[in-house]
Amino acid sequence: MPTRATSELPAAGFSALGLPDTTLAALTALGYEEPTPIQRAAIPPLLAGRDVLAQAATGTGKTAAFALPLLANLRPNAAPRERTSALVLVPTRELAMQVAEAIYRYGQASGAVALPIYGGAPMEGQIRSLKRGVDVVIATPGRALDHIRRKTVFLANLTTVVLDEADEMLDMGFAEDLEAILAATPAEKQVALFSATLAPRIAAIARTHLRDPEVIKIDAEKVKAGAIAKVRQVAYIVGRAHKTAALGRILDVEQPTSAIVFCRTRNEVDEVSETLKAQGYGAEALHGGLSQDQRDRVMKRFRAKGAELLVATDVAARGLDVQHVSHVVNYDVPSASDAYVHRIGRTGRAGRSGVAITLAEPREHRMLRNFERATGRPIETLPLPTVADLKARRVEAAQDALREVLREGGLESWRGLVAPLASEFDPLDIAAAAVKQAARALGNEEEAAEIPAATVRPERHPAREREADRKERKAAKPAARGAVVRGKGDTMAKLYVGAGRKLKVRPGDIVGAIANETGLEGTRIGTITVFDRHSIVEVPEGSADGIVAALSVATIKGKKVQVRRDRAG
Ligand code: AMP
């Protein structure tokens, strides 16, 4: 059944959660159509004042899950210094800025003031801003403690503390800082803990600091492998700023016959479809803001192959009767494994093969692991197509097109046109000139630029960065000799690296590549065994996917090499 056309749809899913009207209006303006699973599960208990323990990685919509309820609890009439009602603790400066930006977007209409405070930035500016009055302070633990000790942040009126990416904060050695910060907050408060894993040490924090929490785990049921057996799943890691360029490049190389490109929001559907149209694609936009008539027209054009690309939100694509598409592209990672499985099920139907492509931002690489678990099949992380790949693809396409024209025949009159040139020039040159002229007319001569590769680099607290760098330098040596040095208690995964002795690869090259690309300390890399054409390297399980993603866009001995989880291990 087609989804209803709806101007009332956008906020509908959110308004059922009990959010205030100003917040609902902000979400509609941002083009959000429905809450993600973590938002559906976490917002009502948080609004009701309950503690929450939630398993959610970046990409699930977790930020809005804790930020939206915070906006319902502001105290705008308090004296500026006493106004702070929420403290959000995050592992990195980058995340502090992202969360502050999200709260600003959601809370602009409510007049909410959010301030990120992190190490490495001057204290004075932060102190001045805090004095002026801040509703939500988003801080890295070290800097939060600094402000608490100097009494430059006032926490007595806090109603909520959020621990965001708690597992990363512990990984970075912030456990003691967290304890000290929590001890400085009022005893009566709401605590929300978000973490990609609910490992025992997270459970331990929860036991001490959370009271009768609502425990939220969004686990997908594993799908039957048969359902998506013929879908090849690939992913590209790409920074937000380069996503549109990357999408265009991938489509140019993949040349889908018909594809659905999924985006998170209406606004993004509009932007992406406009950009693709400008690049010469037949692209149609489909989202919940369109009337039934508009949708029908869009679908008619897509089915009649008048457009090869349908750019859609999940809500709009739900219930669409599209028999088969060659490609499903996740322009944004879906917010849960279920949505991923549902999206990619639209290709590879009826025993045909299909390709599912996911663009993931560096911080979202964990989601890929969840999708692999849900589908029981690997997702291959590929380097972005280079300009050379694009050129090769264009050459292939041009050759295919010429072959077709040659097979069609009926070239007699055209032969007459070029025959007089044959006495002056070589026939191959004449053909080459004709193709060059055709390419010029199509604008295919334009020089394309390389898209910068993104790497999955866990960011660090600046103070710890120096320490980690020192450790890395110390560690590089023993590991380079192939010694087994591993972090205490790490479960190790084996990675296959497609370069070995024939390329004169030594263990040190692999340690160097991993350390440079991911920031993982050398001490945490296990045995490295170099074979003739490949190498096997042991790395901590939790970092394995990040390393695969990072190395697949990096070079070893100046060469791009295949890196994946070792199938034997
Ligand atoms: P997060 O997992 O919090 O990093 O969020 C991932 C991205 O999803 C962010 O870019 C959000 O703006 C976006 N987002 C969060 N919730 C929704 C929603 N309900 N609908 C559409 N986009 C969303």
Side-chain angles (χ1 to χ4, degrees), residues 103-173:
I103 294 179
Y104 172 76
R105 277 185 295 148
Y106 302 138
Q108 205 179 2
S110 334
V113 179
L115 179 73
I117 59 178
Y118 42 77
M123 286 297 269
E124 296 69 37
Q126 295 176 355
I127 293 171
R128 265 198 309 277
S129 303
L130 284 166
K131 269 194 189 144
R132 276 200 296 270
V134 175
D135 298 296
V136 184
V137 172
I138 303 107
T140 50
R143 185 53 70 100
L145 210 50
D146 237 356
H147 280 283
I148 289 171
R149 293 198 174 123
R150 295 181 190 212
K151 299 197 172 24
T152 43
V153 61
F154 186 83
L155 300 180
N157 289 334
L158 278 191
T159 48
T160 307
V161 174
V162 178
L163 306 176
D164 188 18
E165 305 209 343
D167 49 351
E168 270 205 48
M169 289 198 278
L170 295 189
D171 278 350
M172 294 170 69

Side-chain angles (χ1 to χ4, degrees), residues 14 32 34-36 39 58-63 105-106 264-265:
F14 280 105
Y32 287 17
E34 61 173 0
T36 66
Q39 291 162 3
T58 297
T60 54
K62 67 179 167 65
T63 313
R105 277 185 295 148
Y106 302 138
R264 272 190 200 122
T265 65

Side-chain angles (χ1 to χ4, degrees), residues 87-388:
L87 172 67
V88 181
L89 294 167
V90 296
T92 65
R93 159 200 172 115
E94 185 210 17
L95 196 60
M97 291 193 290
Q98 269 179 28
V99 171
E101 188 194 307
I103 294 179
Y104 172 76
R105 277 185 295 148
Y106 302 138
Q108 205 179 2
S110 334
V113 179
L115 179 73
I117 59 178
Y118 42 77
M123 286 297 269
E124 296 69 37
Q126 295 176 355
I127 293 171
R128 265 198 309 277
S129 303
L130 284 166
K131 269 194 189 144
R132 276 200 296 270
V134 175
D135 298 296
V136 184
V137 172
I138 303 107
T140 50
R143 185 53 70 100
L145 210 50
D146 237 356
H147 280 283
I148 289 171
R149 293 198 174 123
R150 295 181 190 212
K151 299 197 172 24
T152 43
V153 61
F154 186 83
L155 300 180
N157 289 334
L158 278 191
T159 48
T160 307
V161 174
V162 178
L163 306 176
D164 188 18
E165 305 209 343
D167 49 351
E168 270 205 48
M169 289 198 278
L170 295 189
D171 278 350
M172 294 170 69
F174 284 132
E176 278 175 27
D177 290 1
L178 290 182
E179 291 299 332
I181 296 166
L182 286 164
T185 61
E188 270 307 310
K189 64 181 176 286
Q190 175 184 46
V191 183
L193 188 159
F194 286 74
S195 172
T197 65
L198 294 185
R201 53 213 180 107
I202 297 290
I205 294 201
R207 265 196 307 278
T208 325
H209 295 285
L210 274 62
R211 256 179 285 179
D212 182 30
E214 173 90 14
V215 180
I216 300 170
K217 277 169 95 168
I218 311 278
D219 268 341
E221 281 175 40
K222 223 175 133 185
V223 290
K224 280 192 256 104
I228 49 150
K230 295 233 164 175
V231 181
R232 188 165 84 94
Q233 302 180 68
V234 300
Y236 297 91
I237 307 291
V238 53
R240 203 186 308 193
H242 302 290
K243 268 170 100 170
T244 4
L247 175 66
R249 177 69 48 86
I250 293 163
L251 292 174
D252 283 345
V253 172
E254 288 277 337
Q255 305 258 321
T257 48
S258 71
I260 304 187
V261 179
F262 283 98
C263 300
R264 272 190 200 122
T265 65
R266 284 176 185 190
N267 302 4
E268 212 163 52
V269 163
D270 285 336
E271 281 160 27
V272 168
S273 60
E274 287 309 316
T275 311
L276 290 173
K277 274 188 219 164
Q279 289 174 8
Y281 279 99
E284 291 286 344
L286 191 74
H287 55 59
L290 303 181
S291 71
Q292 187 64 49
D293 252 18
Q294 288 170 313
R295 285 153 171 269
D296 290 347
R297 276 203 295 278
V298 164
M299 287 316 296
K300 214 162 152 189
R301 279 196 292 269
F302 184 58
R303 285 211 187 88
K305 311 250 184 283
E308 65 260 46
L309 304 176
L310 185 68
V311 187
T313 54
D314 287 301
V315 170
R318 210 164 284 154
L320 269 193
D321 179 26
V322 177
Q323 275 313 310
H324 178 78
V325 293
S326 65
H327 291 67
V328 164
V329 182
N330 298 310
Y331 181 73
D332 294 308
V333 295
S335 58
S337 302
D338 292 20
Y340 177 80
V341 171
H342 198 254
R343 285 180 181 185
I344 75 164
R346 294 184 171 278
T347 186
R349 285 198 170 170
R352 285 189 274 185
S353 57
V355 185
I357 296 170
T358 303
L359 303 192
E361 291 174 30
R363 294 191 61 86
E364 295 169 338
H365 70 272
R366 272 178 194 268
M367 293 297 277
L368 298 175
R369 199 72 201 103
N370 295 347
F371 303 155
E372 284 186 328
R373 261 199 301 275
T375 54
R377 303 178 63 82
I379 299 177
E380 198 183 346
T381 303
L382 298 176
L384 279 172
T386 58
V387 173

Side-chain angles (χ1 to χ4, degrees), residues 336-484:
S337 302
D338 292 20
Y340 177 80
V341 171
H342 198 254
R343 285 180 181 185
I344 75 164
R346 294 184 171 278
T347 186
R349 285 198 170 170
R352 285 189 274 185
S353 57
V355 185
I357 296 170
T358 303
L359 303 192
E361 291 174 30
R363 294 191 61 86
E364 295 169 338
H365 70 272
R366 272 178 194 268
M367 293 297 277
L368 298 175
R369 199 72 201 103
N370 295 347
F371 303 155
E372 284 186 328
R373 261 199 301 275
T375 54
R377 303 178 63 82
I379 299 177
E380 198 183 346
T381 303
L382 298 176
L384 279 172
T386 58
V387 173
D389 295 333
L390 180 65
K391 284 193 173 147
R393 187 70 193 92
R394 280 185 182 160
V395 167
E396 245 172 60
Q399 285 169 343
D400 286 349
L402 287 176
R403 244 180 233 118
E404 208 165 299
V405 175
L406 286 163
R407 283 200 195 108
E408 257 173 31
L411 295 172
E412 291 71 22
S413 58
W414 301 96
R415 284 181 69 95
L417 191 145
V418 289
L421 294 172
S423 57
E424 269 179 79
F425 299 99
D426 177 75
L428 260 185
D429 279 346
I430 300 172
V435 174
K436 180 175 175 187
Q437 199 189 10
R440 212 179 256 166
L442 285 173
N444 274 357
E445 275 192 327
E446 268 171 44
E447 275 304 308
E450 297 290 2
I451 301 168
T455 52
V456 180
R457 181 192 293 272
E459 326 90 43
R460 301 200 201 91
H461 189 264
R464 274 152 229 266
E465 188 123 33
R466 286 188 291 277
E467 172 67 7
D469 283 346
R470 197 177 55 73
K471 277 195 201 146
E472 238 165 51
R473 277 196 297 279
K474 252 172 65 185
K477 262 199 170 157
R481 288 199 303 270
V484 184

